Amino acid sequence: MNALIVVYRESFEALLIVGLLWSFLNRQSADKRGYQALLVGALGGLVLALGLGVFINQAESEFEGLALEIFQLAMLVLAVVLMTHMCIWMRKHARTLKSELESGAQQALSTGRFWSLTLLTMIAVAREGSETVIFLYGLWMESVEKSQTGAFIGLSFAGLVLGVVTWYAFQHGFKAFSQRTYFTVSTALLFVTAGSLVVAIARKVISLGWIEVGTEPAWNSEALLSDQHPVGSFLNLLTGYHAQPAIFVVLVYAAYWAVAVTLYRQAGQPATVRAS
Amino acid sequence: MKTVLTSFCMILALMASSALAQEMAVHQIVLKDHKFEPSVLKVKAGEKFKLEVKNEDASTEEFESNVLNIEKFVGPKKTLKLTLGPLKPGKYPFFGEFHQSTANGVIEVEE
């Protein structure tokens, strides 16, 4: 059963980010290069996930452990920057892209944009994928011992299928929305997901021992909604919710939203002026 | 002269590290068959301590504690070394992310 749950959760997390990017492209009827960028990113992410998985399993020394954590931290920071930047870029160009397309002009997605699409997909897939690789490898070893390899493959495959189905339902739900609502909702989702990565970053900083103040919980909402509760763990997956978040984590999270909202507002201003 | 200085420094460093080691209590938790032993670990409040998580299973586990902000891999037959605290009295649950149904435990911090 563990195989099903872990694969499901990890594949859904990766698909959430990749899926949002994909539907952004879809909505804007972007040219082929956008999808190619996603595909290259996904494949690169799988390779990186395998490499990371093997490295984590083999890591002996504390130095290797530290190097790995710093690498993961850098990946997270890069993902947050890319996602935030992408939301703001979309906000700026949502209208111009559409009108350019309608007037038959060649769409001008710069090469840099494709690179960030590729990188972001790669990180999303590698981050969730490496955990899956490590977990499945361990489980595989055990199922070989107990000769339950059939159940193992079946359950992990079922997990993956469930992940894809959930994501598809999620995406399909979007179709009912108008173009405008769609952009608002998916941008909000991207920001929320970036926020959950910010929580992961702040927690990593604490666990690396780089900060010693503000590590105690800011509050305790365990009785209200615990991390283990199905709703709590879904919120944790989507938003980074914790029942007892450290003060430092809360502050960093609040700071991220303050910066993100300010940048987003600024990006929206010229567009509103033009429209009026 | 250089060698004398170096060895002097090394002795100083050794003394400092052994003094630190004496002050800090070391607690060990063993993970076997996806269960923590001991599953309840009693620790004194207000003191830093070392926690060693020894994984005797054949698979990698992710040692996690939401309250303590820990999320670290422990490879098969490997030991994770952490420095924790000082903590306030209370209960600090931890678990193995990959086997949450069996791999559970709590650090009880007492005065």
Side-chain angles (χ1 to χ4, degrees):
Chain A
M1 232 18 219
N2 268 321
L4 186 118
I5 295 163
V6 171
V7 175
Y8 172 61
R9 200 183 49 206
E10 306 294 340
S11 55
F12 179 73
E13 277 192 83
L15 279 170
L16 185 69
I17 297 178
V18 180
L20 281 171
L21 299 179
W22 182 73
S23 50
F24 260 138
L25 287 174
N26 226 10
R27 284 277 172 148
Q28 296 184 342
S29 343
D31 60 33
K32 261 201 222 147
R33 289 183 299 164
Y35 299 102
Q36 277 167 2
L38 280 195
L39 186 69
V40 171
L43 291 177
L46 282 178
V47 173
L48 189 60
L50 272 175
L52 272 174
V54 171
F55 184 79
I56 292 168
N57 250 343
Q58 305 297 319
E60 287 287 350
S61 64
E62 279 181 43
F63 172 74
E64 279 178 330
L66 183 68
L68 182 80
E69 296 227 31
I70 291 174
F71 181 73
Q72 286 173 324
L73 193 68
M75 255 181 25
L76 284 170
V77 173
L78 186 61
V80 169
V81 171
L82 288 175
M83 282 166 86
T84 313
H85 185 225
M86 194 152 281
C87 285
I88 287 155
W89 186 85
M90 295 286 178
R91 168 95 169 151
K92 265 188 192 155
H93 296 266
R95 275 186 207 150
T96 39
L97 274 182
K98 195 115 181 39
S99 55
E100 272 169 18
L101 208 77
E102 276 159 3
S103 65
Q106 183 63 42
Q107 215 188 96
L109 275 173
S110 67
T111 323
R113 196 61 36 207
F114 291 118
W115 269 109
S116 54
L117 272 179
T118 307
L119 257 180
L120 194 51
T121 311
M122 198 164 139
I123 295 173
V125 173
R127 177 174 135 84
E128 309 305 337
S130 61
E131 267 200 35
T132 316
V133 167
I134 293 159
F135 172 74
L136 289 183
Y137 178 74
L139 218 63
W140 172 254
M141 297 307 283
E142 272 170 15
S143 65
V144 168
E145 263 173 44
K146 294 180 192 158
S147 54
Q148 291 173 330
T149 50
F152 165 82
I153 294 170
L155 280 174
S156 7
F157 190 70
L160 180 65
V161 170
L162 266 180
V164 174
V165 166
T166 316
W167 168 74
Y168 185 77
F170 221 72
Q171 291 283 317
H172 222 72
F174 273 149
K175 286 207 174 146
F177 293 141
S178 68
Q179 181 82 9
R180 204 189 162 83
T181 339
Y182 167 78
F183 262 109
T184 319
V185 173
S186 53
T187 308
L189 259 177
L190 262 184
F191 271 131
V192 166
T193 315
S196 80
L197 299 184
V198 169
V199 170
I201 291 169
R203 296 184 80 224
K204 240 185 181 35
V205 168
I206 294 178
S207 86
L208 280 163
W210 289 351
I211 183 155
E212 297 215 337
V213 282
T215 56
E216 59 271 28
W219 67 73
N220 187 351
S221 49
E222 195 78 47
L224 215 66
L225 185 60
S226 92
D227 294 4
Q228 268 73 44
H229 189 276
V231 177
S233 73
F234 180 71
L235 272 184
N236 169 270
L237 192 147
L238 200 65
T239 68
Y241 171 82
H242 281 290
Q244 297 183 62
I247 295 170
F248 175 67
V249 175
V250 176
L251 289 179
V252 172
Y253 188 72
Y256 171 72
W257 273 103
V259 171
V261 168
T262 312
L263 288 174
Y264 189 70
R265 282 221 173 128
Q266 277 174 3
Q269 266 160 10
T272 348
V273 171
R274 220 182 302 146
S276 59
Chain B
M1 189 59 199
K2 221 176 175 184
T3 19
V4 179
L5 250 177
T6 322
S7 45
F8 181 70
C9 284
M10 276 174 77
I11 289 166
L12 262 183
L14 266 175
M15 276 164 67
S17 65
S18 68
L20 267 177
Q22 268 171 11
E23 274 170 34
M24 238 190 269
V26 179
H27 299 281
Q28 202 182 48
I29 300 173
V30 176
L31 180 69
K32 206 179 175 188
D33 299 324
H34 312 305
K35 280 180 202 137
F36 290 115
E37 178 60 41
S39 60
V40 180
L41 183 72
K42 294 199 191 249
V43 171
K44 264 188 117 179
E47 284 179 9
K48 273 196 165 195
F49 62 95
K50 284 192 173 170
L51 180 66
E52 295 185 0
V53 184
K54 200 174 170 197
N55 181 5
E56 290 192 349
D57 283 331
S59 60
T60 300
E61 186 56 88
E62 191 170 25
F63 184 75
E64 249 190 88
S65 169
N66 292 322
V67 203
L68 295 169
N69 298 295
I70 307 168
E71 209 174 328
K72 282 188 173 164
F73 290 112
V74 207
K77 315 286 174 203
K78 302 216 172 98
T79 304
L80 175 70
K81 288 175 187 167
L82 300 162
T83 307
L84 299 175
L87 298 174
K88 287 180 186 153
K91 288 183 178 174
Y92 298 82
F94 58 84
F95 57 91
E97 151 106 85
F98 295 153
H99 303 88
Q100 278 194 50
S101 48
T102 52
N104 285 296
V106 64
I107 299 175
E108 285 188 10
V109 182
E110 295 167 333
E111 285 288 356

